[in-house]
Amino acid sequence: MNLLKSIILAGASFVIAGLLSAGSTAPALRHWSFQPEMIFPTDGSLHRPEDGVVLADGRLIVSDQISGLRLVHADGSGEPFGRFAEAGYEHRPPEIVSTINGVTLNPSGTHILGADVFRGGLYRVDVATEAVEKVYQHPFGINMAREDRLGGIWFTQSTRNGPEFGERDLFVSVDFPTPDGALFYLPPARGGEERIAVELADGFYFANGLVLDEDGGYLYLSETHRGVLRFHVDTAAGAVSDRIMLLDTVRPDNLELDAHKRLWIALPLTSEIAVYDPATGNLSKVFSLLTPETEAILATIDGRIQAGESWLELFGPPLWEPAPGAMTGMILSPNDGTVYSTGLGNAIMRLER
């Protein structure tokens, strides 16, 4: 029996290896375990670095609740990036509470989009000059926005949280799942005409991250209380169709698509990063802080959610320590470089490849 099993396993390994070498040039996924030296910068000088980008020249830019965006140097020092105050961005608690949440780079790499999840401003930053323009003001908070190759902008509204009580109402929707999330499309700017957003899909229980696969014709959207959805997308028409639930086994936050069309998914409740390969259907956890202790907390959270009870007070440091904060996203460097895990704390994590 042992000999037979060995033959079967050897044959299976040969077939799998042949398929992989013939059908894919993507490098194997790296799996990480937490190391204290991953925390970056070490002085805890960031302010809610929910998301960010790496520019073509290697500069790292993350969201910053106080200034809008922050440039972080290799030694951990940094300074504000972009003249957000000139465009009307203001964070002056408790009277005015703002925060740039989703941060994305347009396909040509010339501009950064920053979305205010509390007050609904959508800002476009010129990478070369750091000039900032508010391109749209939504009546509710905008979680994530991405620009397509034609200049159209796709964005998620997590819930109906207006500017006056944007922070409070956002977290109420996290605590008590509410189906008022939506996907919108903002057409390209045309000769000074007012840009009016069009609602494309609604009924989401906290619409969150999104990515565009323009070559493949797909838009992926994370619905935090349910899973990851996929749409067929027509960027020329500004339309989506064929909505399906792709993954219902995760509670996702931000999404990223790597150069090999693999979908990276941040899982803040379990403090994990997962990677899904649409070509194979394989879902792999590449980073995890999950422990028996956190699993016990998660079981209590699940029970409360199922019972319609408040659970948000359980979303605290025991779920993510020793990481610097709740893990909400990833920044993928070009050319399969460093992966940065972003979050709601005062630092991010640097995962070397």
Side-chain angles (χ1 to χ4, degrees):
M1 177 63 72
N2 289 338
L3 178 60
L4 178 60
K5 287 173 66 177
S6 298
I7 293 172
I8 292 172
L9 289 173
S13 298
F14 176 80
V15 171
I16 291 171
L19 288 173
L20 289 176
S21 62
S24 175
T25 59
L29 287 169
R30 169 90 183 265
H31 291 72
W32 297 271
S33 58
F34 176 80
Q35 303 295 328
E37 57 267 26
M38 290 178 173
I39 297 177
F40 175 75
T42 56
D43 62 358
S45 57
L46 305 184
H47 308 103
R48 202 178 185 276
E50 166 86 13
D51 199 10
V53 296
V54 174
L55 303 180
D57 60 11
R59 285 180 293 170
L60 171 65
I61 296 171
V62 299
S63 53
D64 184 277
Q65 188 166 33
I66 295 173
S67 63
L69 293 177
R70 185 173 182 82
L71 171 64
V72 185
H73 301 289
D75 63 0
S77 63
E79 65 262 6
F81 186 88
R83 301 190 294 276
F84 274 81
E86 294 179 10
Y89 178 84
E90 184 178 14
H91 177 65
R92 185 167 44 84
E95 293 84 6
I96 298 175
V97 179
S98 306
T99 192
I100 296 299
N101 193 77
V103 179
T104 59
L105 195 62
N106 71 340
S108 63
T110 60
H111 291 81
I112 296 171
L113 280 181
D116 188 340
V117 74
F118 292 157
R119 301 185 64 83
L122 183 57
Y123 300 88
R124 195 166 188 261
V125 186
D126 188 306
V127 170
T129 67
E130 299 191 35
V132 180
E133 175 191 8
K134 183 192 280 190
V135 296
Y136 178 67
Q137 176 62 53
H138 194 55
F140 307 109
I142 298 178
N143 189 305
M144 171 64 67
R146 291 191 186 269
E147 185 174 326
D148 63 38
R149 294 169 184 162
L150 300 175
I153 296 174
W154 309 74
F155 68 86
T156 53
Q157 167 195 297
S158 293
T159 186
R160 288 177 166 263
N161 61 320
E164 187 176 3
F165 301 109
E167 181 180 31
R168 183 200 69 183
D169 291 351
L170 182 85
F171 285 106
V172 167
S173 185
V174 173
D175 204 10
F176 297 97
T178 308
D180 60 354
L183 170 67
F184 287 83
Y185 171 71
L186 187 68
R190 293 188 178 94
E193 295 180 5
E194 181 183 3
R195 301 177 76 176
I196 300 174
V198 179
E199 183 176 301
L200 301 179
D202 61 5
F204 301 116
Y205 286 85
F206 208 87
N208 206 317
L210 70 87
V211 291
L212 291 168
D213 177 5
E214 293 193 61
D215 293 328
Y218 293 117
L219 181 149
Y220 298 93
L221 183 149
S222 60
E223 186 179 8
T224 295
H225 287 295
R226 289 192 170 180
V228 177
L229 297 105
R230 189 187 71 189
F231 298 81
H232 283 287
V233 65
D234 184 339
T235 55
V240 293
S241 60
D242 302 325
R243 170 177 173 171
I244 67 167
M245 180 62 70
L246 189 66
L247 296 170
D248 60 2
T249 57
V250 295
R251 287 197 177 106
D253 199 304
N254 282 345
L255 305 174
E256 291 292 340
L257 197 67
D258 69 17
H260 314 287
K261 306 299 184 184
R262 297 179 299 205
L263 190 66
W264 292 62
I265 310 165
L267 308 175
L269 274 182
T270 56
S271 295
E272 294 177 305
I273 297 173
V275 179
Y276 174 74
D277 188 343
T280 64
N282 182 57
L283 180 69
S284 177
K285 303 288 181 65
V286 297
F287 182 90
S288 179
L289 292 174
L290 200 60
T291 66
E293 291 75 21
T294 57
E295 287 181 328
I297 298 172
L298 291 170
T300 302
I301 289 174
D302 284 335
R304 291 193 183 183
I305 291 175
Q306 293 300 321
E309 299 172 354
S310 175
W311 62 272
L312 205 55
E313 74 273 11
L314 297 175
F315 187 60
L319 282 178
W320 59 72
E321 288 179 337
M327 296 167 53
T328 58
M330 303 76 39
I331 304 170
L332 305 182
S333 299
N335 304 315
D336 296 318
T338 303
V339 175
Y340 297 91
S341 170
T342 60
L344 303 182
N346 58 12
I348 57 179
M349 289 192 294
R350 192 162 47 187
L351 313 179
E352 301 292 355
R353 287 202 271 187

